[in-house]
């Protein structure tokens, strides 16, 4: 059984692998994480030092504060890592090939959690007619996204 976890950015220029078990999986609602991900929160999981290897390319880094730097793909912009200088690097859960295997177990940064966050899962979905139009658009799409596996 494969205990490792692989992932990478959307264009495939940067790929990583973590051997063995991952650490804590979280979502962070803080304003810096919202901005860094261009999203409502940051989903991050810790990768113990020595267990993480960049198997293709390496991220570029932005020092978002005096204590933290954030890694991203300089070609496609995918947020990839959060490094606070500790014994483990945090990796973006959504960048893993199989994010379904990494359910968050805690949420932090609650002071900036958006007021409507808890209602997201209850949002309405497309009507069958709207879905049919969307399916038409996507029927002949040609993806340039890296596949969710090492080639
Ligand atoms: Zn990329």
């Amino acid at each position: 059984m494969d205990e490792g976890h692989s992932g990478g950015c959307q264009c495939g220029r940067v790929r990583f692998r973590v051997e063995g078990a991952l650490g804590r999986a979280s979502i962070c609602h803080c304003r810096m994480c919202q901005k860094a991900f261009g999203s409502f929160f940051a989903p991050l999981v810790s990768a113990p030092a020595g267990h993480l290897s960049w198997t293709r390319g390496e991220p570029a880094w932005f020092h978002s504060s005096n204590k933290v730097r954030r890694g991203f793909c300089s070609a496609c912009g995918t947020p990839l890592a959060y490094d606070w200088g500790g014994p483990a690097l945090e990796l973006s859960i959504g960048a893993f090939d199989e994010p379904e295997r990494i359910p968050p177990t805690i949420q932090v940064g609650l002071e900036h959690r958006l007021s409507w966050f808890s209602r997201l899962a209850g949002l309405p979905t497309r009507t069958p007619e709207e879905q049919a139009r969307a399916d038409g658009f996507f029927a002949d799409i040609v993806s340039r996204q890296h596949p969710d596996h090492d080639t």
Side-chain angles (χ1 to χ4, degrees), residues 8-14 73-78 80:
C9 67
Q10 188 171 26
C11 78
R13 182 166 176 260
V14 180
C73 175
S74 63
C76 72
T78 302
L80 293 168

Side-chain angles (χ1 to χ4, degrees), residues 95-113:
F96 279 80
D97 295 338
E98 300 176 276
E100 186 73 38
R101 292 172 64 195
I102 314 169
T105 58
I106 188 172
Q107 52 181 328
V108 299
L110 300 186
E111 66 279 7
H112 287 107
R113 185 171 65 183

Side-chain angles (χ1 to χ4, degrees), residues 23-29 41-46 90 93 102-110 113 117:
R24 188 185 77 162
S26 66
I27 60 173
C28 180
H29 297 279
F41 56 83
L44 292 164
V45 64
S46 62
E90 307 267 336
I93 295 174
I102 314 169
T105 58
I106 188 172
Q107 52 181 328
V108 299
L110 300 186
R113 185 171 65 183
F117 166 74

Side-chain angles (χ1 to χ4, degrees), residues 91-136:
L91 297 172
S92 306
I93 295 174
F96 279 80
D97 295 338
E98 300 176 276
E100 186 73 38
R101 292 172 64 195
I102 314 169
T105 58
I106 188 172
Q107 52 181 328
V108 299
L110 300 186
E111 66 279 7
H112 287 107
R113 185 171 65 183
L114 295 167
S115 63
W116 35 260
F117 166 74
S118 64
R119 299 198 300 271
L120 292 176
L123 291 176
T125 57
R126 287 178 169 137
T127 65
E129 295 74 23
E130 291 167 337
Q131 188 58 52
R133 282 197 296 276
D135 289 345

